[in-house]
Amino acid sequence: MNKKFTFFFFILSLFTGVSTPVNAQMKSCCEPDGTILVSTVKQTAGTLKMAQILDSIGRHANPENFYLMNNARMALFEKKLAIEKDPYKRVSYYFQYANEALNAGKTDEAIGVLQQVIAVMKFNAENLTIKNRLFFDLLAIAFMRKGELENCAANHTAQSCIIPIQGGGLHTLTTGSESAIEIYKMLLTQFPDDLQSRYLLNIAYMTLGKYPAQVPKQWLIGSAIFNQTKSDIVLKDVAVSKGVDMNGISGGCVVEDLDNDGLPDIMASSYGLSDQIRYMHQQKDGTFKNETLASGLVGITGGLNLIHADYNNDGFADIIVLRGGWLGKDARFPFSLLKNNGQNNFEDVTIDAGLYSAAPTQTASWGDFNNDGWIDLFVSHEGYPCQLFMNVKGKFKDVAPKYGLNILAFVKGCIWGDINNDGFPELYLSVLNGPNKLWLNKPGKTPGERTFEDISKSAGVEEPIHSFPTWFFDFDNDGFEDLYVSGYDTKMYSDVGGDAARDMLGIPTLGEKPKLYHNNGNNTFTDVSAAYGVDHVNYTMGCNFGDIDNDGWPDFYLGTGAPEFTSIVPNKLYRNMDGKRFEDITYATNTGHIQKGHAVAFADIDNDGDQDIYAVMGGATEGDRFRNVLFENSTNNGNRWIKLKLEGTTSNKAAIGAKIRIKVKQADGSFQNFYHVVNTGGSFGSNPLLVTAGIGKAISIEEVEIKWPNAKNSTGTLRNLAVNSLFKIKEGFGIQ
């Protein structure tokens, strides 16, 4: 919109009630960028039915109930402005309109309206107050976002939005950051203790290549934190060149060989109600081809998280799509089960499989809780009872009430893990604003039956009280699964940048910290967060673990942020130092991406023996879109590895829950055991079910022991396997 025209109508409307013209509401579409997709293949009745349900939900959704419908919410404030006469209420509505415009991606519109309000109301440095500074706060971050869109998004490079920002990440279009700097300097002059503005000021200078030299000394956050000892781990974002830089808002991802051709593929989602699920099929040259149209998935939209398993034991990985998370009790969206038919074709079988359930969720976990050979599904909801779907030969029945697992809580993470090595998985729930839950899987009164006991308090794993994603992993290779639970305090949304500044400055932070729990081997855990160096506020949303340097010790990557545009804080990479502590190597590896991080997957995507990291980027509103990243691992440290693809026979076919012990011989003649479990990793992001195991500098693999997740908890052992090799192992038959 022409700024002079907008300004004229704003002045007129402020005093007469005539509304400023606004952009029309965006039409419903499939792709986050507005591209409308039409299926090129015949779709099944189940897929068409789910597509109709999702389309109807999107068309009838009330924007007042769903914060991510920002274009529609802009229209609501336009209507309010058309009838409101009170000039003070009108100023408030214009602020809210500008906020929704920013959230909708109409950045220049937001900037224009805010500048006009500030001019008309004569807000300035001399009369700056807590109340009217809100307009300057919003204007400053709108300018920051303008800089991101014009540079990091429109002129994307491998270094875009990765701090310390340098090289190709520097902004060539400088108006956004320059304007933001002037506003932050004004705010900090009046409010010198405003750490969030201080943090964003430093970031703005960094985007211009003027950090730290030109940052006013009284507001400088020292650069020492960025001068970490250089790491031997080499990672680079190659998402653009590989064709997997899907542009969207927050969402989930699955990295898996979905067509069994030996090459990992990627499926990713975007949170918008009409955002199309996307399927990227890896080609022989290592690039990916978008085969969404041919996959049969057109119309299957939304989804904040994706988790996969082989629910029908046909040898192909199937996918759960979770919807409605964070959107409140009115978000009665069904989740989907996407059946993989092979040959890159999928169908929605949610209704036919007995899984249709309309309640908000973003977390679920696959696990065969009774070891009958059919993988079961636990689905956690937000404000509705959780569900445990027992798999009866490919059909599902909710048995949560029978097992006392129909828990009513705001659950943000759930995961299965066998904490006592009895062969049956326990269930852990991460709850927002409440104690977390650990349910012990015990024998029932009749043969083959199971029961669950709440041991949360006695196990010592109820914290953090405000938590989000979680996972089980054996971080010290002692044979017992340990537990990581991220902290996530929603009361701190408006000051995430402030906590980032506090952490960098070495002063106490305010948000909830994560917990790293060591498994004591007796159904109890010890909090070792501080001792292991992970007790930092990170505002983790999506995350996962893997072995980034093939030394045999699991590392992890955290996707961070919050809905506000001010929460441009770095994602974090933690390296496991021989099971004794974790070291933050974010800046040494150039993985500190400051766009919102969501689902994360560790996978050897290029089949070179080391794990890469795929992460879904983007925020919680229609306009907070960003490109997904693929950090390709080209580390050359001489560490060795082994890959194990397990196939169950009496166990579930994907062997989810199988425990693996790899005994290796070191150069000095000593022996070391490394432990793995077949699963998809953390609760927000889905790793391949192929186990890629680093073994460090081991000279030989003495044996591989597998405890299969079947009714008898049978064990098989293989000896003298070659290093740097892939082995396919079938339960009861050995290497295939």
Side-chain angles (χ1 to χ4, degrees), residues 124-130 132-133 136 186-187 190-191:
N124 53 51
E126 284 68 37
N127 60 24
L128 193 61
T129 65
I130 292 293
N132 62 34
R133 71 162 290 180
F136 292 103
M186 181 191 71
L187 290 171
Q190 184 69 23
F191 304 101

Side-chain angles (χ1 to χ4, degrees), residues 287-310:
T287 63
F288 288 75
K289 181 182 178 182
N290 187 337
E291 296 191 4
T292 303
L293 289 174
S295 69
L297 291 174
V298 171
I300 303 302
T301 56
L304 186 55
N305 196 6
L306 309 176
I307 306 291
H308 72 286
D310 181 3

Side-chain angles (χ1 to χ4, degrees), residues 156-177:
H156 189 75
T157 76
Q159 294 175 298
S160 292
C161 282
I162 295 176
I163 61 172
I165 297 170
Q166 53 195 328
L170 296 176
H171 291 192
T172 57
L173 300 174
T174 60
T175 299
S177 289

Side-chain angles (χ1 to χ4, degrees), residues 721-734:
L721 275 65
V723 301
N724 296 351
S725 302
L726 165 65
F727 296 93
K728 296 182 179 180
I729 302 169
K730 189 173 182 177
E731 179 187 353
F733 295 89

